[in-house]
Structures are given as structure tokens and as C-alpha cells.
Amino acid sequence: MTESEFLDLADATLSAIEAAYDRLFEQDMLDVECSRSGNVLEIEFVHNGSKVIVNSQAAMKEIWVAARTGGFHYRQVDGKWRDTRDNTELFEALTAITAHQSGGAPVVISAQA
């Protein structure tokens, strides 16, 4: 994958993550605020002020996630972002991270509209 292809894919992924959280907020399922600056997406859980940071790392061709549960690196494998340590898919991981960090009812973070 070229750097340009990675940047396009990473941008689309960050947009999909932001849209997923925005949908859950609009559906009154999650009290969360997203803000994005370039390749960094900040997701804040309003009720407790905790944050999840998702950003792209062009040099490594990875998406990185920082959360209360730790730091995670995701690389493209067969069309999906997979954790470099345990092979977990990015959106599955965000679902688990959200459940842990929000302390609320379980929700599914999905790239699907």
C-alpha cells in the first residue's frame, strides 16, 4: 500500500468512526462528543470526562488507539484493521473500549450507516 493509499484509507476510517459515535449520540444511546483535527480523532465520554484518542500513523501505516484499557495499534490485513498483537478487528475493539469507558449500556460501534 502506498502512503497516499494509506492516508485515504485512514481518513475514511477516522470519518467512519466519528460517524458511528455521532449516530449513537443522535440516537440518544451514548453521551459522547467527537472532535477531529487532521489525523487525530478525540472521543470524549461526557458524563465522566474520559477520552479515547484514535489517530493515524502514516510512517507505520497504522491506526493507533489510546484508551483507559491501554494503547493499541491496528494494521490493514485482508481489508480490515487488525490489532498487531491479538488480531482483534478495530470496530470490535472500539465496541469493547466504549463499554468499558462509558460504563453504560452496551452499544455496537460499526462502520455501517
Side-chain angles (χ1 to χ4, degrees):
M1 171 183 328
T2 68
E3 185 171 333
S4 178
E5 290 169 332
F6 168 79
L7 292 173
D8 289 345
L9 185 57
D11 183 64
T13 301
L14 291 174
S15 293
I17 293 168
E18 184 174 16
Y21 281 98
D22 285 346
R23 277 193 305 276
L24 291 169
F25 174 78
E26 290 166 5
Q27 295 168 359
D28 209 20
M29 297 178 70
L30 194 61
D31 194 8
V32 66
E33 290 182 4
C34 294
S35 62
R36 184 164 169 199
S37 178
N39 69 330
V40 179
L41 174 63
E42 185 175 287
I43 304 156
E44 181 176 357
F45 296 88
V46 176
H47 74 285
N48 63 17
S50 70
K51 296 180 182 181
V52 173
I53 309 297
V54 183
N55 67 302
S56 63
Q57 295 290 324
M60 304 294 292
K61 293 190 171 87
E62 293 179 345
I63 299 278
W64 289 5
V65 176
R68 283 184 172 174
T69 55
F72 308 92
H73 299 181
Y74 296 85
R75 206 174 277 146
Q76 272 286 304
V77 177
D78 297 327
K80 295 197 181 267
W81 293 102
R82 296 284 181 182
D83 187 293
T84 58
R85 285 181 276 178
D86 69 7
N87 206 37
T88 303
E89 193 274 330
L90 174 61
F91 284 89
E92 291 173 21
L94 287 171
T95 295
I97 288 168
T98 299
H100 180 268
Q101 212 146 319
S102 72
V107 295
V108 175
I109 306 302
S110 168
Q112 309 306 321

